[in-house]
Amino acid sequence: MDTIASLFSFITTPVSWVIVQFHSVYGKIFGPDTGWAWGLSIVSLVILIRICLIPLFVKQIKSTRAMQTLQPEMKKIQERYKNDKQRQSEEMMKLYKETGTNPLSSCLPILAQSPFFFALYHVLNGIATGKTIGVIDDQLLASARKAHIFGAPLAAKFTDSADKVAQLGATLTDVRVVTAIMIVLMSGSQFYTQRQLMTKNVDTTVKTPFMQQQKMLMYVFPVMFAFFGINFPVGVLVYWLTTNVWTMGQQMYVIRNNPTPGSKAQAAYLERLQKHVTHHEKTRSRGEKAIVKAIVSKGRDRNEFERKFINSLTKVGLVAQADGTVVKGQAEAAVEAEDGTTTTTGGAPKRQQPKRQSKSQRQSGTAAGGAKAADEPEPKTSLTKSDEPQDAKPAPKPAGGGNKPGTGTRSKAQSGQRKGPQRPKSPSKK
């Protein structure tokens, strides 16, 4: 570790100068020889570095998502040229060039902050050995050697001997307890950061070897941090724990507000966005408009969560536009016009088709529409049943016996006779 840190000795002067400037500020508040002054100086150094690396972090996110999108194509190339590794590499490079992606872009933030990490290690190692380095003179060196963080000296390590720790004014138990807790927190934060990336912000519809590699790294990185952590001074552990916490919070913000398409985080985000847009009936921020615009532009290529979002807006009468805005649709205009309360400009209401009536409704409607006034006398005819005299004799039965089954009314209908009293026939003139 000392050999690697010496390679970045050219940057130790800027790093030590930044730490001294922060120490001069915190020293006036907490005291120049306290662990708070030196510890917060290291934390402030981390925050300053990570703010400067935000553009690289954004580039890392875009590169990671581009790589996730290319995984199906990469898998096809691997299967097509599995027996020709050279052609496979050429096709991969061609694919990267056509899409403008770079596999190394996802490692840019780590590579960019590595010089600062090793430079800080070089500075703290000089403090532990009593050597001035960078802009840290003898007075600042003596102040840094007196600084303790929860009883552990700033330059002490987990693997230091009891005599070396005693020279720094501490006990071996305090050093090992503090360093062990910081190593556990450092490894745990790294594991949680990688886990939320794998469980919440990965497209669940695509199963590729890239996901398996990320899952493996989720368990490998914490072990590596724990292994190297026992050789880090307390000040370096403060640096690395701070940068892990920053990464975790930064990633949580990105996953919540700009999730990967097709992931569980996108489903949760679109559900919140749907409730917000439904309540306000419009998209309010530029980020919301950008998300809606991207979903509308996909058309039939929308995933399950995006289709559900569009359908939810349609059910409440809202329509997403190509520019990312949301307006009231024709469905809502028809409903409001039917209620007679308000009218909107969402379009002309649709023509309502008459409902099909049942047989009883048609009969009652016909009776009501065609009935005459109750006081109008109804003309009587000689064929009505009410005109039949009470004492009228029944018609004589036809000759040939009584009624046979099926020969009553049917036989009369066949013979052309009508029911009821018959008019007497006029006598024939002979």
Side-chain angles (χ1 to χ4, degrees):
M1 184 66 70
D2 295 336
T3 304
I4 299 176
S6 62
L7 298 176
F8 297 94
S9 58
F10 65 93
I11 204 175
T12 53
T13 300
V15 170
S16 61
W17 183 84
V18 173
I19 293 177
V20 169
Q21 299 306 312
F22 282 121
H23 175 263
S24 64
V25 176
Y26 294 120
K28 296 177 181 179
I29 301 174
F30 302 100
D33 300 336
T34 60
W36 286 103
W38 286 99
L40 290 177
S41 299
I42 296 174
V43 171
S44 300
L45 172 67
V46 175
I47 295 174
L48 179 62
I49 293 173
R50 295 310 300 265
I51 290 176
C52 296
L53 294 179
I54 286 179
L56 292 179
F57 180 75
V58 174
K59 191 172 182 179
Q60 177 194 18
I61 294 175
K62 293 181 179 179
S63 177
T64 303
R65 292 186 179 178
M67 290 295 295
Q68 291 175 351
T69 306
L70 292 179
Q71 288 304 309
E73 298 296 330
M74 294 171 60
K75 191 174 182 180
K76 291 179 182 179
I77 293 175
Q78 291 174 353
E79 293 177 353
R80 185 179 302 173
Y81 304 105
K82 59 183 178 181
N83 297 326
D84 190 350
K85 297 297 182 182
Q86 182 178 358
R87 182 65 183 277
Q88 184 181 119
S89 301
E90 293 176 356
E91 292 296 327
M92 288 288 189
M93 297 302 296
K94 183 179 178 181
L95 180 64
Y96 294 150
K97 187 176 181 180
E98 291 176 352
T99 56
T101 57
N102 187 359
L104 298 179
S105 297
S106 59
C107 303
L108 284 178
I110 297 177
L111 296 176
Q113 68 175 329
S114 296
F116 299 96
F117 170 77
F118 288 110
L120 178 64
Y121 179 88
H122 194 50
V123 170
L124 294 175
N125 189 54
I127 294 174
T129 56
K131 296 179 181 179
T132 59
I133 187 170
V135 299
I136 298 180
D137 53 16
D138 293 333
Q139 183 180 357
L140 292 173
L141 178 62
S143 175
R145 288 176 65 87
K146 294 177 183 178
H148 290 66
I149 297 178
F150 300 109
L154 198 67
K157 304 177 186 178
F158 184 88
T159 55
D160 285 345
S161 61
D163 296 337
K164 188 174 182 179
V165 172
Q167 293 176 1
L168 297 174
T171 62
L172 185 61
T173 302
D174 293 339
V175 171
R176 291 190 173 179
V177 169
V178 172
T179 52
I181 292 175
M182 295 182 72
I183 290 172
V184 170
L185 293 176
M186 185 176 64
S187 301
S189 59
Q190 177 66 32
F191 176 79
Y192 182 79
T193 301
Q194 193 70 19
R195 186 177 184 276
Q196 72 172 349
L197 180 66
M198 290 299 302
T199 57
K200 295 182 180 180
N201 206 36
V202 174
D203 189 355
T204 56
T205 61
V206 180
K207 304 294 183 181
T208 60
F210 178 76
M211 295 178 60
Q212 299 297 328
Q213 295 174 3
Q214 294 294 320
K215 191 174 182 179
M216 181 181 64
L217 293 177
M218 180 174 66
Y219 296 98
V220 171
F221 275 153
V223 175
M224 292 176 58
F225 276 106
F227 177 76
F228 290 109
I230 60 176
N231 295 309
F232 290 162
V234 173
V236 174
L237 292 179
V238 171
Y239 174 93
W240 207 250
L241 177 59
T242 305
T243 193
N244 280 0
V245 173
W246 176 281
T247 303
M248 182 175 63
Q250 189 172 248
Q251 186 171 272
M252 289 175 65
Y253 176 81
V254 172
I255 290 175
R256 178 177 175 82
N257 296 281
N258 193 15
T260 301
S263 62
K264 294 180 180 179
Q266 189 197 31
Y269 176 80
L270 292 180
E271 184 178 355
R272 295 193 305 269
L273 180 60
Q274 185 267 330
K275 293 179 180 179
H276 186 267
V277 172
T278 302
H279 178 71
H280 296 282
E281 296 185 349
K282 63 179 180 180
T283 51
R284 305 183 67 182
S285 64
R286 185 180 299 178
E288 291 179 355
K289 290 182 180 180
I291 294 293
V292 175
K293 181 179 179 180
I295 293 175
V296 173
S297 63
K298 288 185 178 180
R300 295 183 178 180
D301 295 333
R302 302 184 189 115
N303 56 45
E304 176 186 357
F305 309 127
E306 294 167 345
R307 288 194 297 267
K308 184 179 179 181
F309 171 74
I310 296 297
N311 293 335
S312 300
L313 294 181
T314 304
K315 288 180 181 179
V316 296
L318 298 176
V319 179
Q321 303 297 311
D323 60 351
T325 58
V326 174
V327 298
K328 291 186 178 181
Q330 294 181 356
E332 184 176 0
V335 172
E336 290 183 352
E338 184 180 354
D339 294 340
T341 55
T342 58
T343 57
T344 61
T345 58
K350 295 182 180 179
R351 207 157 117 203
Q352 299 292 333
Q353 296 292 339
K355 295 182 179 180
R356 186 174 181 181
Q357 297 180 344
S358 62
K359 183 176 179 180
S360 59
Q361 290 176 339
R362 290 197 301 270
Q363 290 177 352
S364 61
T366 304
K372 296 182 179 181
D375 54 347
E376 182 179 349
E378 183 179 356
K380 296 182 180 181
T381 61
S382 60
L383 299 180
T384 57
K385 189 173 182 181
S386 59
D387 291 339
E388 184 179 354
Q390 298 294 330
D391 55 348
K393 295 182 180 180
K397 294 180 181 181
N403 293 335
K404 295 183 180 180
T407 60
T409 306
R410 184 178 299 177
S411 62
K412 292 181 180 180
Q414 292 175 355
S415 62
Q417 296 181 0
R418 297 179 178 178
K419 292 182 179 181
Q422 302 293 327
R423 293 183 180 179
K425 295 180 179 181
S426 59
S428 60
K429 296 181 180 181
K430 293 184 180 181

